[in-house]
Amino acid sequence: MATPPPPPPAGQPVPINPITSVTEPWPSPAHLAAATSTHRQGAFAISSRKLPISKAGPIEALEKDVGIPMPEMIFGDNVVSVAHAPTGWRVEFNARDALDAVGKTGENMLRVAYAGEWSASREQTSAGIREVVRPFDWSYSTTYKGTVVIPGPEAATTTTNGASELNMDKDPDTDTDTTTNGSGSGSRSRERDFAPTTEPIPIELLKRRDPIRFFDDVMLYESELDDNGISVLSVKLRVHDERMLLLCRLYMRLDNVLCRIRDTRIYVDFKSEVVTREYTAKEASFNDVKQVSRAESN
């Protein structure tokens, strides 16, 4: 068996295809470590990892694990995490958990603009197909809000999505919750999970031109929806001296039908060690968005 090449020096780009043998695992633990960037600010460690598109083997395994067909481009080794070092609590964003939060029943499945005409012309011949093909949300409109890992004697991992608590004092499409990780709070591990709050993310503080200590933009998956539009899930983050903001955004456009945005924001106040999460879901018809774009351009 050929000897795999050593990982690149820290901070250097990872080679696109360093495989020297068909039996060689990729990526190796050494390559995963080399592709991970970590910035420490206060009591928190913020990490991101960017690697090439997943290969056929991992995609096939992921499809069996999640239970739905995978989008064309999956970055299964990419991850973004925010960890509270003293307690081990962290929230992370990864492709596997995001795809697991995609609808698997077909209950909210969208139809392309020409679906009605296509179905009418094939009403007889396609009758049996509906019984064979398992429905799922093929627009990959995940309700993923991050994966929360809570350490302790009864360690728990929670993948949270749009079914979490709703703060009725805010926009009905917005859900805000918070967690406190201060070592002096005396809270147990379960109390470090997110809980509803009426305190919004302080947008005015984020508008300040404070120095950016760490920034990254990480792709998790992308699909062209069989040439009918696009669905993209990505994560951006920026870290300042006193605070940070992470944005996980799903952008989905189904041509001539619908546009959809689902945002999860993670705000961290490094002084108080409070983490706030805000989830917002918005959508509008394709024509409405098109008209607004035209009005703004005039």
Side-chain angles (χ1 to χ4, degrees):
M1 178 177 174
T3 302
Q12 296 297 316
V14 178
I16 294 297
N17 189 14
I19 294 178
T20 57
S21 168
V22 294
T23 60
E24 178 186 331
W26 168 255
S28 67
H31 280 98
L32 289 175
T36 304
S37 299
T38 300
H39 175 83
R40 289 174 173 80
Q41 196 74 26
F44 291 85
I46 303 97
S47 300
S48 64
R49 183 169 67 223
K50 292 194 289 189
L51 281 166
I53 296 173
S54 298
K55 298 184 181 295
I59 290 177
E60 183 179 348
L62 185 60
E63 189 167 306
K64 291 181 180 179
D65 180 28
V66 175
I68 61 173
M70 294 291 103
E72 298 96 309
M73 289 183 282
I74 307 171
F75 298 84
D77 298 303
N78 288 2
V79 66
V80 175
S81 69
V82 179
H84 185 249
T87 62
W89 177 97
R90 77 175 188 272
V91 57
E92 70 173 46
F93 294 82
N94 62 77
R96 187 267 169 209
D97 291 343
L99 289 166
D100 197 33
V102 170
K104 302 177 184 179
T105 64
E107 181 179 352
N108 299 313
M109 188 164 55
L110 297 171
R111 302 175 71 188
V112 296
Y114 52 82
E117 180 181 351
W118 186 92
S119 297
S121 65
R122 294 164 174 79
E123 185 173 357
Q124 298 300 323
T125 58
S126 63
I129 297 178
R130 301 190 190 98
E131 300 177 2
V132 177
V133 179
R134 181 170 52 187
F136 73 103
D137 180 6
W138 62 277
S139 72
Y140 298 103
S141 297
T142 181
T143 56
Y144 185 52
K145 295 168 62 179
T147 303
V148 179
V149 179
I150 305 172
E154 298 180 358
T157 301
T158 307
T159 304
T160 51
N161 52 41
S164 60
E165 303 92 336
L166 182 66
N167 179 3
M168 299 304 294
D169 294 331
K170 296 182 67 64
D171 186 316
D173 292 328
T174 301
D175 173 14
T176 307
D177 39 23
T178 186
T179 182
T180 302
N181 289 287
S183 57
S185 64
S187 59
R188 296 182 180 180
S189 63
R190 176 54 58 186
E191 293 171 340
R192 287 194 292 268
D193 201 353
F194 284 104
T197 180
T198 57
E199 293 294 326
I201 290 176
I203 300 299
E204 292 303 318
L205 290 178
L206 292 168
K207 290 180 179 180
R208 294 168 47 175
R209 296 180 176 272
D210 296 331
I212 297 177
R213 303 304 182 187
F214 183 65
F215 172 85
D216 213 341
D217 186 354
V218 180
M219 181 76 70
L220 296 183
Y221 67 74
E222 179 177 343
S223 172
E224 295 182 352
L225 307 181
D226 294 330
D227 293 328
N228 288 294
I230 192 169
S231 183
V232 180
L233 184 70
S234 62
V235 183
K236 291 183 179 181
L237 70 154
R238 56 184 171 100
V239 180
H240 304 281
D241 290 327
E242 298 180 359
R243 62 193 63 86
M244 70 160 287
L245 180 68
L246 176 152
L247 170 64
C248 178
R249 167 166 288 180
L250 169 86
Y251 171 74
M252 192 283 297
R253 185 195 75 243
L254 185 57
D255 291 340
N256 300 312
V257 178
L258 186 73
C259 291
R260 176 179 285 162
I261 292 178
R262 292 176 177 173
D263 287 343
T264 298
R265 289 178 172 84
I266 301 290
Y267 173 81
V268 181
D269 184 302
F270 294 126
K271 184 177 181 180
S272 64
E273 300 183 19
V274 171
V275 181
T276 303
R277 179 178 60 185
E278 181 182 272
Y279 176 79
T280 304
K282 298 179 180 180
E283 64 179 58
S285 71
F286 186 88
N287 287 334
D288 287 347
V289 175
K290 196 173 181 179
Q291 290 175 6
V292 171
S293 298
R294 286 177 177 174
E296 292 179 347
S297 62
N298 293 334

